[in-house]
Amino acid sequence: MTRRPKSLEQWVEEVAAHTRPRNIHWCTGSDEEFDTLVAQALADDTLRPLDQERYPDCYLHLSDPSDVARVEHLTFVCTTDRDDAGPNNHWMAPDAGHAKVDALFAGAMQGRTMYVVPYCMGPIDSPYSRCGVEITDSRYVAINMKLMTRMGDAALRRIEADGSFVRGLHSTGDLDPERRFIMHFPEEMMIKSIGSGYGGNALLGKKCHALRIASYQARSEGWLAEHMLIVGVESPTGDTHYIACALPSACGKTNLAMLVPPASQPGWKIWTLGDDIAWLHLDDSGRLCAINPESGYFGVVPGTNEDSNPNAYRMIQHDTIFTNVARTDDGEPWWEGKAVGEPAFDWRGRRYDPNGGPAAHPNSRFTVAASNNPGYSELAEAPGGVPLTAIVFGGRRRELAPLVFEARDWRHGVLVGAGVASETTAAMIGEVGVVRRDPMAMKPFCGYNFADYWAHWLSFTERSDRLPRIFHVNWFRRDAEGRFLWPGFGENLRVLRWIIDRCEGKIGATETPIGYLPKPGDIDTEGLDIDAQTMESLTAVDIDGWSQEMASIGEYLESYGERLPAALRRERDRIAAQLAEAS
Ligand code: SAT
Ligand code: MN
């Protein structure tokens, strides 16, 4: 048996005394254990079988209908000083936060098995990886953690060697939204989550640890924990550039990370390192390197088909857990945009009614091990990560934001990231389609005051002169009739190529107050059904619109008060002045 650190055993005993589970299971992470957990989940209906011939080892989980997305209004960062959590987080004093959830955890696991899930975020042998232990009463969570993280004995051995780990306590409680809380105690490296079984609320290694707790820890240790995919773009001559891209939830990170070059782009290859989270460190030579702390994907299902994302479409035809999709009459999973088949049962398990809303929940998800992806990069397991050529920020915006532009330098890039705005999606409970500021796509995930976070980002210019270039993209521009102007998906490679050409110094650009924009003809549109006028509107800067945008960004930044870095304010003022001059 793998040795269990004393501090961990003590904590497990304390939690068991408080939550009173029927029994305790320490997860080893073996494949046999996984099979047993799945068999038990099938027996108690947590998982339902799908057609095992066409979807071997694929299962369906239907959640409680009230528990289908992250709950930002119930997510708290509990720091001693309220200003350390900042206006970007809901805050509670640590004592009050503990008291609130501890009362709900009392006896919460009665009659249930308590799973102790040791996990490692990042390759087991990477100096950049960090471990945690999630205690949960959800078998579904234990099963998902095996797919999403390096889970079990290997992680336990690393915890013993590291001497520290993040503690995550989770119970589905009674699933009552009134008694649902996702609490973070970054000063104690602790998470307590109760009342939800949904991904981002319950798989504590993901957003809770790898972003909220890790971002806090990264600040004091000099690195960055970011909501970014990591992708390798290999050119026909065999050079590979690594790019990290921050987009809000449900804005296409998995699609971009798994892009399959269309026939019009012969010789190009895309390698996936990660689809959601990147941890960034400066190496000894000053290059910013990225690892993916996760080892699986928890991706949005609707819209995935042979055309939009052929790699993902095939990847989820075996060894996949589906959550909240619909089913066909012959037991295949079904979702809007699948392009084949017909739904017979909806995501609530009821007979499908075409007038009763979508068959699959818009935030339905697949969970799958990263190694299932045919484009999985060999370097995804490299302990030192991959050096980044470019960092790309983006949002979902019908108007204003051009298809792509480049920041003038790192400091300007930090402003570009801080000013990101995006329409809300079904990945969180709340209204969909409302534009809100989502700096660096981290609004729901930064574990400390955004003002301090921007200062931390800015500090990297003092530590390296080899930082990646920074860009902004928007795949989601629409015309007056609501049609998308840019085809997106695989064709986004054309934009990545422009980004790489810029980084290699191969092409010029048009200098504007908001940054460098593509010159006409520099983005390859051959074979696309897109006219010069559309390209022009995709790559033009609306000076008046941007003047208003800069005013709004200014107001937003000022809401952070005294902690706002002066350099960021000066950068905004400089661009606002240039826009005023240009109008
Ligand atoms: O719910 S998750 O955080 O796991 C997915 C997402 O919203 O990005
Ligand atoms: Mn995400």
Side-chain angles (χ1 to χ4, degrees), residues 234 258-270 311 490-491 493:
E234 186 182 326
M258 296 186 64
L259 186 151
V260 175
S264 62
Q265 308 291 306
W268 290 86
K269 290 198 190 106
I270 293 283
N311 265 356
E491 307 299 349
L493 175 56

Side-chain angles (χ1 to χ4, degrees), residues 53-194:
E53 234 160 70
R54 269 185 263 163
Y55 284 83
D57 299 308
C58 290
Y59 305 98
L60 172 63
H61 171 73
L62 300 183
S63 77
D64 184 277
S66 78
D67 187 31
V68 292
R70 281 183 291 100
V71 282
E72 292 182 13
H73 59 298
L74 304 174
T75 300
F76 290 80
V77 170
C78 305
T79 47
T80 310
D81 179 348
R82 181 177 197 143
D83 287 339
D84 288 342
N88 45 306
N89 282 301
H90 297 295
W91 175 84
M92 226 182 262
D95 285 352
H98 282 299
K100 182 123 207 145
V101 285
D102 286 352
L104 299 174
F105 272 108
M109 297 191 187
Q110 282 175 81
R112 304 180 186 173
T113 297
M114 179 172 114
Y115 296 94
V116 181
V117 186
Y119 61 85
C120 179
M121 301 311 288
I124 286 280
D125 54 351
S126 168
Y128 304 144
S129 298
R130 294 287 186 276
C131 291
V133 177
E134 174 164 2
I135 297 181
T136 177
D137 58 7
S138 163
R139 197 178 281 133
Y140 168 81
V141 165
I143 290 169
N144 276 271
M145 287 294 282
K146 158 80 174 162
L147 296 173
M148 296 297 299
T149 69
R150 285 106 174 150
M151 181 266 251
D153 286 345
L156 201 55
R157 284 191 290 274
R158 168 131 186 183
I159 288 169
E160 175 80 9
D162 286 354
S164 74
F165 59 95
V166 170
R167 287 157 205 244
L169 173 56
H170 170 254
S171 168
T172 49
D174 58 9
L175 292 175
D176 184 338
E178 296 292 317
R179 285 186 287 279
R180 183 175 293 165
F181 292 99
I182 324 297
M183 296 275 189
H184 303 74
F185 305 91
E187 292 155 355
E188 303 163 56
M189 296 217 301
M190 185 178 283
I191 305 152
K192 291 182 178 175
S193 164
I194 189 157

Side-chain angles (χ1 to χ4, degrees), residues 252-542:
K253 281 199 300 301
T254 307
N255 287 333
L256 186 58
M258 296 186 64
L259 186 151
V260 175
S264 62
Q265 308 291 306
W268 290 86
K269 290 198 190 106
I270 293 283
W271 301 105
T272 317
L273 289 102
D275 80 328
D276 195 37
I277 301 178
W279 285 357
L280 312 180
H281 289 79
L282 287 176
D283 74 4
D284 293 341
S285 70
R287 295 181 311 179
L288 195 62
C289 293
I291 63 163
N292 172 15
E294 301 187 280
S295 66
Y297 311 134
F298 184 66
V300 176
V301 184
T304 308
N305 60 49
E306 190 66 60
D307 282 334
S308 64
N309 190 338
N311 265 356
Y313 188 64
R314 278 170 232 153
M315 170 178 78
I316 60 178
Q317 283 172 17
H318 64 100
D319 299 284
T320 300
I321 307 282
F322 290 91
T323 299
N324 292 340
V325 298
R327 258 175 313 153
T328 65
D329 250 334
D330 40 16
E332 291 191 20
W334 193 90
W335 52 86
E336 274 68 20
K338 188 183 183 189
V340 290
E342 295 282 335
F345 300 96
D346 70 10
W347 67 273
R348 293 174 167 222
R350 301 180 305 202
R351 268 265 157 214
Y352 172 61
D353 168 6
N355 302 317
H361 189 277
N363 192 39
S364 52
R365 298 271 170 168
F366 56 76
T367 318
V368 70
S371 52
N372 255 29
N373 171 5
Y376 190 50
S377 165
E378 272 175 26
L379 288 180
E381 304 289 335
V386 291
L388 295 180
T389 300
I391 285 177
V392 180
F393 295 118
R396 177 188 285 270
R397 294 194 76 175
R398 302 173 159 256
E399 292 167 349
L400 196 68
L403 180 60
V404 60
F405 65 93
E406 180 185 349
R408 211 164 282 116
D409 53 22
W410 183 265
R411 186 179 303 156
H412 178 213
V414 175
L415 176 71
V416 169
V420 166
S422 194
E423 293 160 26
T424 51
T425 67
M428 61 181 274
I429 299 286
E431 205 181 330
V432 168
V434 185
V435 176
R436 66 165 181 177
R437 294 277 157 222
D438 192 350
M440 282 83 168
M442 284 285 279
K443 165 73 188 73
F445 308 121
C446 184
Y448 63 105
N449 191 321
F450 259 149
D452 299 334
Y453 169 81
W454 296 321
H456 182 45
W457 262 85
L458 290 167
S459 73
F460 279 73
T461 42
E462 287 143 37
R463 295 168 55 201
S464 169
D465 52 13
R466 298 184 70 188
L467 295 172
R469 299 237 216 148
I470 298 181
F471 296 79
H472 185 282
V473 297
N474 176 22
W475 319 132
F476 300 96
R477 279 284 289 278
R478 304 209 199 195
D479 65 14
E481 277 76 52
R483 287 177 301 230
F484 287 105
L485 294 181
W486 176 252
F489 299 105
E491 307 299 349
N492 290 335
L493 175 56
R494 298 169 190 259
V495 177
L496 298 183
R497 285 180 55 197
W498 183 81
I499 288 173
I500 291 169
D501 282 347
R502 285 292 300 162
C503 292
E504 287 186 332
K506 281 192 183 153
I507 51 169
T510 308
E511 191 166 355
T512 80
I514 70 162
Y516 299 112
L517 275 102
K519 290 194 173 159
D522 275 355
I523 291 188
D524 165 25
T525 54
E526 198 165 324
L528 288 185
D529 183 20
I530 195 165
D531 54 32
Q533 209 186 331
T534 305
M535 272 321 278
E536 202 197 290
S537 56
L538 278 168
T539 54
V541 177
D542 164 3

